[in-house]
C-alpha cells in the first residue's frame, strides 16, 4: 500500500515573536515494512536555519530557528510512503524468549531493546499495572498473541473519554480510573509490556479510516 500524506500546521501569535525554535518530528522513519519514497518540508516564513538529523530512538528531527520577528508560521510536511508489513502471529517467539533476548542484548542504537525496556518520564513503572497485566503476558504464549490479549483487555475494560485526562495526566491515573484516550491506553500497554521484559515503544502516525457507505473520506478530521 502506498500512502500520500500532507500535514499542515499553522501557528498564530498574539504578538510579534522575535526568536522562535521548533523541533519537528514529521518525517516518517524508514523501518522494515515501511519505506519513505519522498519527503518535502516547506516553512513560511523561511527559517534562518533548518538542521535535520536522526534523533533519539528511530525518529527524524528537523530543528528550525527563526531569528526575525514573526506573527504567524506555516509548516507543510508532505511525503509518500510504502507500507507492506504483516505481524508474524503464527510463528512469533514466546514471551519468555523475547524477554531473554532483550535482556541479553548489549546494543545501544535507537532500535536496540535497551531503548524500550525501561521507564521514561511519562511511562513510569507501576506495580499496579504490572500485576493487572501479568495474566495476559504468560511466558509460554507467542508474544504477538500475548500483546493482542493485552490490547483486547484494554479495549474491553477501559472507556474512551476525552474529558477524563489531559496531555500530562500520569498513565497510572488513567489506569485507576479505567478512562482516558488513545495516548493513555498506549502508555498503559507500554508500562505493562516493559514490566514483563518485552520492549515496547510509543509510535504516532496517521489513522486511515473507512468512511460510511456513499460518503467521501474525511481529510484532516480523523485522529492520529
Amino acid at each position: 500500500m502506498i500512502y500520500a500524506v500532507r500535514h499542515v500546521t499553522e501557528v498564530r501569535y498574539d504578538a510579534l515573536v522575535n526568536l522562535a525554535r521548533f523541533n519537528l518530528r514529521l518525517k516518517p522513519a524508514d523501518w522494515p515494512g515501511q519505506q519513505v519514497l519522498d519527503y518535502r518540508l516547506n516553512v513560511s516564513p523561511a527559517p534562518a536555519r533548518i538542521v535535520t538529523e536522526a534523533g533519539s530512538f528511530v525518529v527524524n528531527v528537523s530543528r528550525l530557528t527563526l531569528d526575525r520577528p514573526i506573527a504567524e508560521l506555516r509548516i507543510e510536511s508532505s511525503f509518500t510512503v510504502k507500507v507492506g508489513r504483516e505481524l508474524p502471529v503464527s510463528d512469533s517467539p514466546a514471551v519468555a524468549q523475547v524477554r531473554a533476548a532483550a535482556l541479553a542484548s548489549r546494543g545501544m542504537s535507537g532500535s536496540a531493546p535497551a531503548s524500550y525496556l525501561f521507564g521514561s518520564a511519562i511511562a513510569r513503572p507501576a506495580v499496579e499495572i504490572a500485576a493487572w497485566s501479568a495474566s495476559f503476558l504468560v511466558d509460554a504464549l507467542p508474544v504477538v498473541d500475548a500483546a493482542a490479549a493485552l490490547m483486547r483487555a484494554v479495549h474491553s475494560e477501559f472507556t474512551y473519554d476525552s474529558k477524563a485526562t489531559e496531555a500530562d495526566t500520569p498513565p497510572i491515573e488513567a489506569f485507576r480510573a479505567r478512562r482516558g484516550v488513545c495516548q493513555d491506553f498506549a502508555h498503559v500497554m507500554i508500562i505493562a509490556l516493559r514490566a514483563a521484559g518485552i520492549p515496547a515503544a510509543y509510535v504516532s502516525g496517521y489513522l486511515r479510516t473507512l468512511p460510511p457507505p456513499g460518503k467521501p473520506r474525511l481529510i484532516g478530521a480523523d485522529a492520529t
Side-chain angles (χ1 to χ4, degrees):
M1 184 73 72
I2 296 178
Y3 296 93
V5 178
R6 176 173 172 267
H7 182 124
V8 177
T9 300
E10 294 181 341
V11 182
R12 297 179 181 87
Y13 298 98
D14 288 335
L16 285 177
V17 174
N18 292 318
L19 177 65
R21 293 191 176 96
F22 284 83
N23 290 337
L24 306 181
R25 297 173 178 85
L26 294 171
K27 181 182 179 181
D30 279 309
W31 189 257
Q34 176 171 290
Q35 180 186 4
V36 182
L37 303 178
D38 62 70
Y39 180 76
R40 298 169 299 280
L41 177 65
N42 294 307
V43 183
S44 179
R49 289 180 297 280
I50 300 181
V51 178
T52 301
E53 59 190 8
S56 302
F57 311 106
V58 186
V59 177
N60 295 311
V61 181
S62 294
R63 307 184 189 280
L64 313 183
T65 301
L66 296 103
D67 57 4
R68 292 181 296 173
I70 60 172
E72 59 184 28
L73 181 67
R74 186 178 189 277
I75 299 167
E76 180 177 339
S77 167
S78 56
F79 59 85
T80 305
V81 63
K82 183 178 181 180
V83 179
R85 59 177 178 268
E86 296 181 0
L87 290 175
V89 178
S90 60
D91 60 350
S92 63
V95 168
Q97 291 175 280
V98 173
R99 180 192 306 117
L103 294 177
S105 173
R106 294 294 179 265
M108 293 302 293
S109 69
S111 58
S115 299
Y116 310 102
L117 277 174
F118 303 100
S120 64
I122 297 177
R124 300 176 184 273
V127 173
E128 291 176 55
I129 295 176
W132 167 77
S133 61
S135 63
F136 306 107
L137 305 176
V138 179
D139 281 1
L141 281 178
V143 69
V144 174
D145 290 351
L150 177 62
M151 176 187 66
R152 288 191 292 269
V154 171
H155 182 265
S156 63
E157 296 184 27
F158 291 67
T159 299
Y160 186 93
D161 183 352
S162 60
K163 297 181 180 179
T165 57
E166 303 290 342
D168 58 353
T169 299
I172 188 62
E173 293 185 14
F175 173 77
R176 290 168 178 166
R178 295 298 198 274
R179 309 182 78 84
V181 296
C182 302
Q183 171 180 284
D184 303 303
F185 304 155
H187 282 131
V188 168
M189 282 197 66
I190 288 171
I191 293 168
L193 291 165
R194 291 179 180 178
I198 301 172
Y202 186 105
V203 179
S204 64
Y206 300 93
L207 180 65
R208 180 179 182 269
T209 56
L210 298 176
K215 299 291 184 180
R217 187 182 307 281
L218 298 177
I219 297 177
D222 288 328
T224 58

